[in-house]
Amino acid sequence: MTATVTNPPQAVVKVDDRLGYGGLKLGMSLEEARAAGLTDLTWNSAGEKDCVADGKVAISRKHGVERITLPAEAKTSKGIGVGSTFAEVKRAYPNASEYRAGWSAQVADNAVYAFVGGIKLVHFADTDHVVRIKLTATTVQCAMAFL
C-alpha cells in the first residue's frame, strides 16, 4: 500500500515591510496610496510638477511617499507623541539632533522622524513640547511641498 502526500498550493502573500503609519508606507506610489483609500490626491492636485502634498502626506513621482505627518493622537514605537517634551525625545532617541524646526532622529537607513516644536521658538529647551511628528524618507524630491 502506498500513500501519496501532496502539499496543497500555498497562497502568495505580499509582505510590505516599508516604514510608515498604518497602511501608508514610505515609497508607496500615489496610485498605491489611492487604491488603498489612503489619500484622494491626484497628479492634478496643488503642488509642484512632480510632487503633490496635503497636510498628511507628500508624494513624488520619483520616490513615492516621502513624508507622512502622524495624526496628533499617534505615538512612535518608543512612545513619543504630540505633547512629549524634547527631553523625552532625546531619551527615547539618543541619536536625535536639533534641527531648524525641532529635533530629528534617524529610525532606519532610509527614514527619519522629525519632532517639530512651536514655530515661534528658535532653540528648543528640554521642557519644550513636540507639536507635530513627521516620518520622512532620507531621499526626497518634494522637500518643500506643504511642510
Side-chain angles (χ1 to χ4, degrees), residues 43-93:
W43 289 119
N44 295 322
S45 299
E48 303 166 15
K49 180 178 102 176
D50 292 319
C51 301
V52 292
D54 59 20
K56 299 176 190 174
V57 64
I59 305 172
S60 81
R61 289 185 192 272
K62 184 174 182 181
H63 302 292
V65 172
E66 295 183 353
R67 184 179 64 248
I68 301 167
T69 301
L70 276 57
E73 67 278 2
K75 295 200 181 298
T76 70
S77 61
K78 295 188 178 189
I80 301 299
V82 169
S84 294
T85 66
F86 285 107
E88 293 169 324
V89 168
K90 291 189 278 186
R91 275 194 301 277
Y93 298 92

Side-chain angles (χ1 to χ4, degrees), residues 3-146:
T4 305
V5 177
T6 60
N7 292 326
Q10 299 294 313
V12 175
V13 178
K14 181 179 179 186
V15 176
D16 190 341
D17 60 354
R18 296 177 286 188
L19 289 176
Y21 178 78
L24 195 56
K25 307 293 183 186
L26 293 177
M28 181 180 268
S29 71
L30 175 60
E31 293 72 21
E32 287 176 307
R34 286 182 55 81
L38 301 170
T39 186
D40 59 358
L41 290 171
T42 69
W43 289 119
N44 295 322
S45 299
E48 303 166 15
K49 180 178 102 176
D50 292 319
C51 301
V52 292
D54 59 20
K56 299 176 190 174
V57 64
I59 305 172
S60 81
R61 289 185 192 272
K62 184 174 182 181
H63 302 292
V65 172
E66 295 183 353
R67 184 179 64 248
I68 301 167
T69 301
L70 276 57
E73 67 278 2
K75 295 200 181 298
T76 70
S77 61
K78 295 188 178 189
I80 301 299
V82 169
S84 294
T85 66
F86 285 107
E88 293 169 324
V89 168
K90 291 189 278 186
R91 275 194 301 277
Y93 298 92
N95 70 332
S97 58
E98 194 167 7
Y99 80 108
R100 60 179 157 62
W103 284 76
S104 175
Q106 184 120 13
V107 292
D109 288 342
N110 65 339
V112 298
Y113 274 126
F115 301 100
V116 181
I119 60 172
K120 293 183 180 182
L121 299 174
V122 175
H123 176 74
F124 298 91
D126 285 351
T127 55
D128 290 329
H129 294 90
V130 174
V131 298
R132 186 172 40 242
I133 301 172
K134 298 176 184 183
L135 178 62
T136 305
T138 54
T139 303
V140 297
Q141 180 180 22
C142 306
M144 301 306 288
F146 290 86

